[in-house]
């Protein structure tokens, strides 16, 4: 009797390795200029790249981008690529939207930073409230910074020490969120560089969609804030179950904790983010990445009562550095880009186009998966789509972690890129921008079908 082949995500491991090897070789052979440039010009950087995660792409070496426009990238070897990564949300509305590019040119003539507000700053505040609701706003450079500052405020106004996050969460590089569950207990995530603090003194961890575990943490009386994405997006997307967000709101209120909603990825949900589309009611609202059209910018807002409580706290605290704020945050270039994006780019019309394209992509990927009998599924959150190389739906971070198939995903990423389609490197997420054409979406679906035809032969 013949031995059954070893399978991973339904794919023969031997076939997967052969395809991975061939696609990696094809990528390298097609980019001699990129390889030569990296070999001769990257020595000044630590591990050859200006940011370490640039080597986390699954290709043999990173692309060197020459140009980006709309939903297309061109590398220095002249390959044009349909971009569904879009800077992992930073360019969700397309690369260099015309109103943002115009605002940058205009502001560049009037100075880049001077630690003082502008009239555009006042307009940006008005537009933020119009778009996202009644909050008192502050500006940061990254969503990591915004989350960090929001957590400080929560601790200040509640007098409690810990933040509650969800297993497998994503909130940038905030130390307080770098915990996970092991055998039901909160532990510091393994692998953190230079970590010396026991993060369980700062944070507790619960499972997404598990209100009982949330309440158990809140009952300790130690939780200053619940920090959550509306949808888990870091490792195989997990949708909230009906009633979960209402439950979080009620539990936070009951136990005197603040609810922080981080929309840095779920801004893809529609106008006003997931919070606006689904009527969530956070105490603190955070969003970054695409909010200023790709200019490094994040915003965080406090509900009026929280803002009053914080101002009262701030008036009575000891003099000295607050531990909040960075010198280049809230610079005039950010406000120029914020006002341009909120006024002319982040519009209902843009989201409608993105939703239509994302549904086209989602439906096409589902058809391919079903046609090949793959034990996979597809999730969509507005303009964001992800194929997951495991059955679904997924309920929490533990299930999402087990559904992550690095070998399969790496092969798919490189294979898609060799066929002219770029998706996000750390998972299988794709974004549809207002600039994305139907033919680009169809090309991605066809490339996906081509690869699965071979992998599931």
């Amino acid at each position: 009797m013949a031995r059954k082949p070893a399978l991973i995500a339904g794919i023969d491991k031997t076939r997967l390795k052969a395809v991975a090897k061939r696609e990696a070789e094809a990528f390298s052979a097609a980019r001699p200029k990129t390889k030569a440039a990296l070999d001769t010009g990257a020595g000044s950087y630590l591990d050859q790249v200006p940011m370490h995660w640039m080597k986390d792409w699954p290709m043999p070496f990173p692309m060197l981008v020459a140009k980006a426009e709309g939903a297309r990238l061109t590398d220095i070897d002249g390959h044009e690529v349909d971009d569904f990564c879009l800077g992992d949300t930073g360019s969700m509305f397309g690369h260099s939207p015309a109103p943002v590019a115009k605002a940058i040119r205009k502001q560049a003539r009037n100075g880049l930073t001077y630690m003082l507000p502008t009239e555009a700053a006042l307009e940006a505040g008005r537009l933020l409230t119009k778009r996202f609701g009644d909050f008192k706003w502050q500006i940061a450079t990254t969503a990591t910074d915004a989350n960090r500052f929001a957590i400080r405020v929560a601790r200040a106004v509640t007098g409690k020490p810990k933040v509650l996050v969800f297993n497998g969460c994503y909130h940038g590089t905030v130390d307080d969120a770098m915990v996970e569950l092991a055998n039901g207990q909160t532990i510091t995530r393994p692998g953190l560089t230079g970590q010396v603090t026991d993060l369980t003194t700062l944070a507790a961890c619960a499972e997404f969609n598990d209100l009982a575990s949330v309440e158990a943490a809140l009952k300790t009386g130690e939780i200053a804030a619940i920090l959550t994405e509306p949808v888990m997006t870091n490792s195989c997307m997990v949708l909230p179950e009906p009633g979960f967000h209402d439950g979080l709101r009620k539990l936070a209120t009951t136990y005197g904790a603040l609810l922080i909603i981080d929309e840095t990825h779920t801004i893809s949900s529609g106008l006003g983010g997931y919070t606006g589309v689904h009527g969530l009611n956070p105490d603190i609202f955070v969003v970054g990445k695409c909010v200023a059209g790709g200019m490094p910018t994040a915003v965080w807002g406090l509900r009026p009562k929280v803002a009053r409580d914080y101002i009262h706290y701030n008036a009575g605290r000891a003099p000295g550095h607050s531990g909040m704020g960075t010198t280049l945050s809230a610079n005039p270039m950010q406000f120029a880009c914020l006002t341009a994006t909120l006024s002319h780019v982040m519009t209902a019309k843009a989201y409608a186009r993105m939703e239509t394209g994302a549904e086209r992509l989602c439906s096409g990927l589902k058809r391919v998966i079903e046609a090949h009998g793959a034990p996979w599924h597809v999730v969509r959150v507005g303009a964001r789509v992800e194929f997951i190389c495991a059955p679904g739906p997924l309920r929490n971070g533990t299930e999402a972690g087990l559904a992550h198939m690095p070998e399969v995903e790496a092969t798919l990423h490189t294979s898609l890129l060799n066929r002219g389609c770029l998706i996000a490197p750390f998972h299988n997420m794709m974004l549809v921008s207002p600039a994305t054409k139907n033919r680009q979406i169809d090309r991605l679906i066809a490339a996906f079908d081509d690869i699965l035809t071979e992998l599931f032969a």
Side-chain angles (χ1 to χ4, degrees), residues 291-350:
V291 73
M295 176 63 64
T297 305
V299 302
W300 55 287
L302 310 177
R303 289 294 190 197
K305 181 186 182 303
V306 180
R308 290 193 297 271
D309 290 346
Y310 177 63
I311 289 171
H312 177 74
Y313 163 86
N314 208 35
R317 72 177 176 87
H321 201 297
S322 67
M324 296 168 58
T326 57
T327 302
L328 296 181
S329 291
N331 66 66
M333 187 63 80
Q334 288 177 310
F335 289 119
C337 294
L338 263 174
T339 55
T341 301
L342 294 169
S343 298
H344 305 296
V345 178
M346 189 185 287
T347 64
K349 183 178 179 180

Side-chain angles (χ1 to χ4, degrees), residues 345-432:
V345 178
M346 189 185 287
T347 64
K349 183 178 179 180
Y351 272 110
R353 182 175 178 82
M354 292 157 70
E355 288 261 359
T356 300
E359 178 54 36
R360 184 186 188 99
L361 176 58
C362 183
S363 298
L365 296 176
K366 284 181 177 178
R367 285 195 307 272
V368 171
I369 287 170
E370 290 169 2
H372 292 285
W376 301 1
H377 71 290
V378 182
V379 183
R380 181 168 81 88
V381 179
R384 185 181 302 277
V385 179
E386 182 174 12
F387 63 83
I388 296 171
C389 304
L394 305 173
R395 186 171 183 267
N396 55 43
T398 296
E399 291 183 7
L402 293 172
H404 184 45
M405 302 288 171
E407 292 175 71
V408 177
E409 293 161 12
T411 303
L412 287 164
H413 287 217
T414 305
S415 300
L416 286 171
L417 184 53
N418 285 341
R419 289 157 179 80
C421 305
L422 183 72
I423 68 174
F426 313 121
H427 25 62
N428 304 319
M429 287 201 296
M430 296 148 283
L431 282 164
V432 174

Side-chain angles (χ1 to χ4, degrees), residues 2-232:
R3 292 178 59 187
K4 290 184 178 180
L7 301 178
I8 177 170
I11 301 168
D12 180 289
K13 282 188 175 182
T14 302
R15 180 181 294 120
L16 180 66
K17 288 181 179 180
V19 172
K21 182 175 183 294
R22 184 195 70 209
E23 296 294 332
E25 290 172 351
F27 175 89
S28 299
R31 289 171 172 82
K33 290 182 180 178
T34 300
K35 181 67 165 61
L38 287 169
D39 286 344
T40 58
S44 297
Y45 285 111
L46 176 64
D47 204 17
Q48 295 190 305
V49 286
M51 181 60 76
H52 67 90
W53 44 250
M54 290 179 176
K55 294 195 77 171
D56 288 346
W57 292 83
M59 300 84 77
F61 48 84
M63 289 170 52
L64 289 179
V65 177
K67 180 182 179 181
E69 184 176 6
R72 297 277 278 174
L73 293 176
T74 305
D75 70 13
I76 67 168
D77 283 279
H79 300 287
E80 293 189 352
V81 176
D82 295 327
D83 187 7
F84 291 90
C85 174
L86 295 168
D88 197 18
T89 311
S91 295
M92 187 178 76
F93 298 109
H95 293 287
S96 298
V100 177
K102 180 180 177 181
I104 290 172
R105 289 192 297 269
K106 180 179 179 182
Q107 183 58 49
R109 294 193 293 267
N110 296 315
L112 301 181
T113 188
Y114 26 79
M115 291 186 71
L116 288 166
T118 60
E119 286 186 302
L122 306 180
E123 176 66 2
R126 185 188 71 80
L127 291 169
L128 285 168
T129 297
K130 179 182 177 182
R131 178 63 64 237
F132 298 115
D134 188 14
F135 297 93
K136 301 301 181 184
W137 298 100
Q138 290 282 273
I139 311 300
T141 301
T142 67
T144 292
D145 286 338
N147 280 320
R148 185 180 295 119
F149 303 154
I151 291 168
R152 280 189 174 271
V153 168
R155 288 183 172 130
V157 301
T158 65
K160 298 177 181 181
K162 291 187 178 182
V163 59
L164 177 65
V165 297
F166 290 103
N167 191 36
C169 66
Y170 174 71
H171 301 290
T173 55
V174 177
D175 272 7
D176 313 66
M178 295 295 180
V179 292
E180 63 182 37
L181 287 177
N183 300 317
Q185 300 297 312
T186 302
I187 63 168
T188 299
R189 284 186 185 179
L192 296 175
T193 301
Q195 186 63 44
V196 295
T197 303
D198 177 3
L199 295 179
T200 64
T201 64
L202 305 175
C205 197
E207 285 284 17
F208 199 74
N209 283 322
D210 184 352
L211 290 173
S213 72
V214 173
E215 186 166 22
L218 291 170
K219 279 182 175 179
T220 66
E222 296 181 312
I223 305 301
I226 302 169
L227 172 61
T228 185
E229 295 180 278
V231 174
M232 292 192 72

